[in-house]
Amino acid sequence: GAAPRMDTFPVDLNDCGPMVLDALLKIKWEMDATLSFRRSCREGICGSCAMNIDGTNTLACLKFIEEPDTDEHGHTVTINPLPHMYVIKDLVPDVSMFYEQYRSIEPWLQANEAEKPAQGEWLQTVESRRKLDGLYECVLCLCCSTSCPSYWWNGDKYLGPAVLMQAYRWVIDSRDTNTDARLDALDDTYKLYRCHTIMNCSKTCPKHLNPGKAIGHIKKMIADRH
């Protein structure tokens, strides 16, 4: 029930790994066992350790601790939870609404039985498979969505960059035969068109993906149908 506060912890970088996540683990293990944050893979694959570090949304396991300048007291790294999210504790945001939005796009392959191969793998051409590059690598870390002002303002209605990029991933999959229904579900004033191409999403993505471009492609596909 106490009011939120900022704490400062001195970390000897000569006795710590090079990433911000290493420093957080050192703080938790040696200084304050109550410090809470999510983490898992330490390789930028799971997306668990997303947080705001020195004003930028990123993954703590991929963020190097900046080398101290000439000041003998070193450099202060400011760490906050992802912005504009309800906070459960410390650096742990409540992402339950995000996963409800993700579930709403039905992120799995949908195909007519007649289209499925009788046996063996479902093959794609090289060109069809290449369309998924830059989309499937998303780790759903939410760095992009929580950097988006439109998501801050309309997070209960606007699906946000992360979910929309995943929606596009299924829309353009050559094996999926439910494209029209997927586009119909996205053709909504709030779900899709709250995107105003601010492009914070693409700038902050720690995997160097481009959600803004994916959203633009969805808008074009819908426009081309009218």
Side-chain angles (χ1 to χ4, degrees):
R5 70 178 193 275
M6 297 290 287
D7 286 336
T8 301
F9 299 92
V11 176
D12 182 0
L13 297 184
N14 294 318
D15 188 32
C16 177
M19 302 298 185
V20 170
L21 182 58
D22 294 315
L24 289 172
L25 290 170
K26 185 176 179 64
I27 292 169
K28 184 174 181 66
W29 292 337
E30 301 178 9
M31 305 178 202
D32 184 354
T34 69
L35 178 62
S36 297
F37 53 91
R38 293 189 177 105
R39 52 98 178 182
S40 183
C41 72
R42 301 182 64 154
E43 297 290 340
I45 297 172
C46 72
S48 298
C49 64
M51 54 192 71
N52 185 281
I53 302 173
D54 285 337
T56 299
N57 293 352
T58 189
L59 296 175
C61 65
L62 297 183
K63 176 66 174 178
F64 281 99
I65 302 172
E66 293 185 15
E67 290 293 330
D69 53 24
T70 54
D71 183 355
E72 63 179 5
H73 298 295
H75 169 68
T76 299
V77 178
T78 303
I79 306 173
N80 288 287
L82 289 175
H84 296 270
M85 303 283 282
Y86 289 106
V87 176
I88 297 174
K89 186 177 186 293
D90 297 337
L91 300 173
V92 180
D94 183 352
V95 295
S96 54
M97 184 175 68
F98 164 73
Y99 280 110
E100 288 298 323
Q101 294 171 326
Y102 182 52
R103 186 180 294 111
S104 74
I105 65 167
E106 302 183 351
W108 55 82
L109 192 65
Q110 300 178 18
N112 298 327
E113 290 297 325
E115 298 290 335
K116 296 180 180 179
Q119 60 182 5
E121 299 178 18
W122 195 328
L123 302 178
Q124 289 182 290
T125 65
V126 174
E127 291 75 17
S128 293
R129 170 58 187 79
R130 189 176 293 126
K131 290 180 180 179
L132 304 181
D133 289 342
L135 302 172
Y136 77 88
E137 300 96 330
C138 173
V139 296
L140 299 176
C141 66
L142 266 183
C143 285
C144 61
S145 291
T146 54
S147 72
C148 173
S150 292
Y151 194 72
W152 301 343
W153 303 326
N154 301 284
D156 58 331
K157 300 176 183 178
Y158 173 47
L159 293 180
V163 170
L164 287 173
M165 186 164 73
Q166 288 305 300
Y168 180 61
R169 176 256 178 275
W170 293 105
V171 163
I172 63 165
D173 194 314
S174 62
R175 300 163 296 180
D176 193 283
T177 59
N178 205 30
T179 301
D180 286 339
R182 291 185 185 277
L183 291 176
D184 287 340
L186 294 173
D187 191 3
D188 178 86
T189 301
Y190 279 95
K191 287 183 180 179
L192 174 64
Y193 293 101
R194 289 301 94 182
C195 171
H196 299 304
T197 59
I198 298 171
M199 302 303 287
N200 281 3
C201 55
S202 300
K203 181 179 180 180
T204 198
C205 177
K207 303 290 285 187
H208 308 294
L209 307 180
N210 194 341
K213 182 178 180 181
I215 295 171
H217 283 311
I218 295 175
K219 292 178 178 178
K220 185 176 186 305
M221 291 179 73
I222 292 175
D224 288 344
R225 298 195 309 164
H226 295 305

